[in-house]
Amino acid sequence: MSEHTGRRRGLFGGAPRAAEPAQVEVPVRSQVPRPLRIAAAYGWRLLVIAAVVALFVWLVIQFKIIVVPVLVAILLTALLWPSFEWMLAKRVPRFVAIVVSLVATIAIVTGLVWLVIWQVSEQWMVVRDRAIDRWAELQEWVLTVGILPDEVVNEVVGFVSDFVSTQSDLLLSGVVSLGSTIGHVGAGALLAFFTLVCLLFDGEGIWRWTTKLFPRQARVAVDRAARNGWATLISYARTQIFVASIDGIGIGVGAAILGVPLAIPIGVTVFLASFVPFLGAIVSGALAVLIALAYNGPFIALLMLLVVLLVQQVESHVLQPLIMGAAVKVHPLAVVLVVMAGTMAGGIPGALFAVPLAAFVNVVAETHTK
């Protein structure tokens, strides 16, 4: 550097300064702690999954008139499939196997309905008259003992009478909408029957067409997972029939031994209600105890309660953990939670299909992760 140049730089700014290093811009991503980034990644993915599930549930509720019969048909197909497949293995023509399966199912259902109608028509008037007498005896006993003042007893009796009258009026007014309800039930039954016939006749073809809706590279995995889920549904249907039969026979025979009327309707009600795990047995058992209390009195009602509790304990501690747990591979706590969630989301149909859907999804997820 020349002397003139150095003098000029000193005149305008002093000694020359060294060049400052360029500032490097730090990405915002690296400034966010890694645990927070992981939590955020899980968070938005869970939100997307929750939105998809909520949309699916909303669509199912909106189209429940179609969805419920189809699901019923799928469960019936899973129930009939072992015997149907056995007939096919014995070289029985498919058409004959379908007819035999449907006729046997209709015969069993018709027989149960006939037994219920027959016993109800035979004993209902007697049960009603005995219940009225029991109520009068209870009212007289309360007045005789003097636990409550006469005014309070009269008010309670008047309230109960008004409540029964109000409910009767509501029941009569509901007859107006009964026609549409019967129409929906009839349409649903026809749809379920038609779907059942189609699944038995060409279930494999329907599934092959369904797999074509998925991307080509995912079809093998989808097929394998769905077949494992279908095997689980078959195990669930067979096991649930066995568990429900034990519940219905146990409580029905107990009612018959104790002399409780309507033993066959009680057993059939328990059998049907047992398809809703835990909740169904409790509600149907309470009905049996109530009928025993109204007809036979407190002592027989107490014995009926013991029978119901014994059957439910066998179901809860033996049948559900050992048999049903091995069939659906779902923990009993998860069963209770999904039944409650299904009841809140879809009422009785939601409670009915909650466990098989949860078992199917669980097996499909396990198959995908293997």
Side-chain angles (χ1 to χ4, degrees):
M1 183 189 313
S2 64
E3 183 180 353
H4 176 70
T5 303
R7 190 181 301 115
R8 186 177 59 184
R9 290 185 176 177
L11 177 63
F12 289 98
R17 288 180 289 180
E20 296 181 358
Q23 294 184 354
V24 179
E25 185 177 355
V26 180
V28 178
R29 177 183 175 84
S30 62
Q31 297 180 13
V32 180
R34 186 170 181 273
L36 184 58
R37 295 202 305 270
I38 296 175
Y42 274 105
W44 73 260
R45 286 175 171 84
L46 290 176
L47 287 176
V48 171
I49 294 175
V52 172
V53 172
L55 177 61
F56 176 77
V57 172
W58 182 80
L59 290 175
V60 168
I61 294 175
Q62 296 300 314
F63 296 97
K64 60 184 177 181
I65 297 179
I66 299 175
V67 174
V68 171
V70 172
L71 292 178
V72 170
I74 292 174
L75 282 182
L76 288 176
T77 305
L79 176 62
L80 298 176
W81 192 257
S83 59
F84 179 75
E85 195 174 31
W86 178 83
M87 285 188 286
L88 294 181
K90 296 298 181 180
R91 300 186 181 278
V92 176
R94 181 176 290 268
F95 177 76
V96 176
I98 292 175
V99 172
V100 171
S101 301
L102 295 179
V103 170
T105 303
I106 294 174
I108 293 174
V109 173
T110 304
L112 291 177
V113 172
W114 180 82
L115 285 175
V116 170
I117 294 176
W118 166 70
Q119 194 166 52
V120 168
S121 62
E122 290 288 331
Q123 299 183 354
W124 174 249
M125 298 300 294
V126 178
V127 174
R128 188 196 64 175
D129 294 340
R130 182 66 66 89
I132 295 175
D133 294 340
R134 290 289 180 186
W135 174 251
E137 292 175 2
L138 176 63
Q139 180 181 351
E140 183 180 357
W141 178 77
V142 172
L143 291 174
T144 303
V145 175
I147 300 177
L148 297 174
D150 295 349
E151 297 79 5
V152 176
V153 175
N154 292 329
E155 289 180 2
V156 172
V157 172
F159 173 78
V160 173
S161 301
D162 294 340
F163 178 78
V164 172
S165 177
T166 303
Q167 297 302 314
S168 300
D169 294 338
L170 291 176
L171 182 62
L172 292 176
S173 64
V175 174
V176 178
S177 61
L178 184 61
S180 61
T181 302
I182 293 177
H184 290 163
V185 172
L190 289 176
L191 179 59
F193 181 80
F194 179 73
T195 305
L196 174 62
V197 172
C198 291
L199 291 175
L200 292 176
F201 184 77
D202 192 25
E204 189 70 27
I206 295 174
W207 175 241
R208 285 197 302 267
W209 175 84
T210 304
T211 54
K212 294 180 181 179
L213 300 176
F214 294 89
R216 184 179 300 274
Q217 61 273 17
R219 291 176 186 174
V220 175
V222 170
D223 180 73
R224 184 163 59 93
R227 290 184 185 276
N228 290 340
W230 174 247
T232 301
L233 280 183
I234 294 176
S235 299
Y236 167 80
R238 289 188 300 181
T239 306
Q240 189 59 50
I241 283 288
F242 176 73
V243 173
S245 300
I246 294 298
D247 290 345
I249 293 174
I251 295 179
V253 170
I257 293 175
L258 294 175
V260 178
L262 305 176
I264 294 178
I266 288 174
V268 174
T269 302
V270 172
F271 171 77
L272 296 176
S274 296
F275 282 89
V276 180
F278 299 103
L279 295 180
I282 294 175
V283 174
S284 57
L287 176 63
V289 175
L290 182 61
I291 293 176
L293 178 63
Y295 187 87
N296 303 93
F299 179 71
I300 299 298
L302 178 61
L303 295 179
M304 189 72 241
L305 177 61
L306 294 177
V307 171
V308 171
L309 292 178
L310 176 62
V311 173
Q312 291 181 358
Q313 289 299 313
V314 172
E315 177 193 352
S316 301
H317 294 86
V318 178
L319 301 180
Q320 288 289 347
L322 298 180
I323 302 177
M324 183 60 71
V328 303
K329 300 178 182 178
V330 177
H331 194 275
L333 177 60
V335 172
V336 174
L337 295 178
V338 298
V339 168
M340 296 298 294
T343 304
M344 295 174 61
I348 295 178
L352 176 63
F353 299 116
V355 176
L357 284 176
F360 183 85
V361 172
N362 179 55
V363 172
V364 168
E366 288 184 352
T367 303
H368 179 69
T369 55
K370 288 181 180 179

